[in-house]
Amino acid sequence: MIIKYISFSISIVFFSFIVGMIITALIKKTNFYNNQLSNLNFIKNELTNNIIGIGVIKWIVRNTFFKFLNQKIKIERKINITDLKNIRNEMTKSEIDHLFAFVFVLIFITILYFKQNYLFATVMLLVNIAMNLYPSLLQQQNKRRIDKLIFKFKN
C-alpha cells in the first residue's frame, strides 16, 4: 500500500514540474515575478540550511542524473558578470517553477487530508517537500552565492 502511495506521489510531483514551468512562463513578464518572486529568500541563515538538509539535496543534484536536467545553471572556469546574471536568472526561473509545483501538489494533499486519507497525504507531502520545496531552497542558497560573486565583480 505504501509503495503505491510513494509511486503515485512521485508521479504527481513530476507532473507538477510541468505545471510549475507553465505558470512561470505565463507570469515571467509581470512586475510580480520581477519584483517579488525573483527576490524570494525564505532561509537566510546557512546554518539553518544545513540543519534541514539542503546539503543532502545539493549532493543528490551534483552526483545523480539530476545534474543533467538544467544545463543552463553551470559556472564555467572563465566567467563574467553577464554570465553570472544569466545564471542567476535561470536559477530564479527554476526556483519559481519548483515553488509553483509545490503549491500545485499541496492542492492534492489538501484533498487527501479532507478525505481523511492521512497516510497518503503525509507520503505525498514528504515527496513534495523533497522534490519541490528543497530544490527551490537550494536555488535560493545558490542565488545568494551568485549575488556575492556579482557584488565582487562590480567592485
Side-chain angles (χ1 to χ4, degrees):
M1 184 67 116
I2 193 92
I3 299 297
K4 183 174 111 177
Y5 291 162
I6 293 170
S7 63
F8 187 74
S9 297
I10 290 171
S11 299
I12 291 293
V13 168
F14 271 109
F15 178 73
S16 75
F17 295 162
I18 297 167
V19 172
M21 287 188 279
I22 291 170
I23 294 171
T24 302
L26 291 174
I27 67 163
K28 192 166 181 155
K29 303 272 187 214
T30 66
N31 286 335
F32 177 65
Y33 178 89
N34 292 316
N35 295 334
Q36 278 84 25
L37 291 180
S38 65
N39 295 312
L40 289 176
N41 202 0
F42 296 135
I43 300 174
K44 296 177 183 170
N45 187 336
E46 291 301 318
L47 179 62
T48 305
N49 275 336
N50 291 334
I51 290 171
I52 65 170
I54 297 296
V56 173
I57 299 299
K58 183 185 288 189
W59 185 91
I60 291 170
V61 169
R62 262 196 216 148
N63 296 300
T64 65
F65 71 93
F66 290 108
K67 68 182 171 188
F68 300 112
L69 292 181
N70 196 344
Q71 293 294 306
K72 294 179 182 175
I73 303 177
K74 269 192 173 176
I75 294 181
E76 303 297 328
R77 287 284 181 209
K78 291 189 176 186
I79 194 94
N80 59 42
I81 194 162
T82 305
D83 294 335
L84 288 174
K85 287 181 179 179
N86 290 337
I87 291 169
R88 189 188 190 287
N89 289 337
E90 283 300 320
M91 285 179 176
T92 300
K93 182 187 171 307
S94 178
E95 169 197 356
I96 303 304
D97 289 350
H98 281 289
L99 284 176
F100 281 124
F102 181 77
V103 171
F104 176 75
V105 176
L106 284 180
I107 295 167
F108 287 92
I109 293 168
T110 304
I111 292 168
L112 289 171
Y113 180 77
F114 282 117
K115 287 186 172 186
Q116 297 180 349
N117 198 340
Y118 303 118
L119 179 61
F120 194 7
T122 302
V123 168
M124 192 175 288
L125 178 63
L126 293 174
V127 170
N128 193 27
I129 288 170
M131 295 180 72
N132 277 322
L133 183 60
Y134 272 33
S136 184
L137 294 174
L138 177 60
Q139 294 301 347
Q140 287 182 7
Q141 181 186 43
N142 289 336
K143 282 189 338 186
R144 288 192 301 272
R145 292 171 54 212
I146 291 288
D147 288 342
K148 289 178 187 174
L149 287 174
I150 290 172
F151 182 76
K152 284 183 182 179
F153 265 98
K154 286 182 177 179
N155 293 330

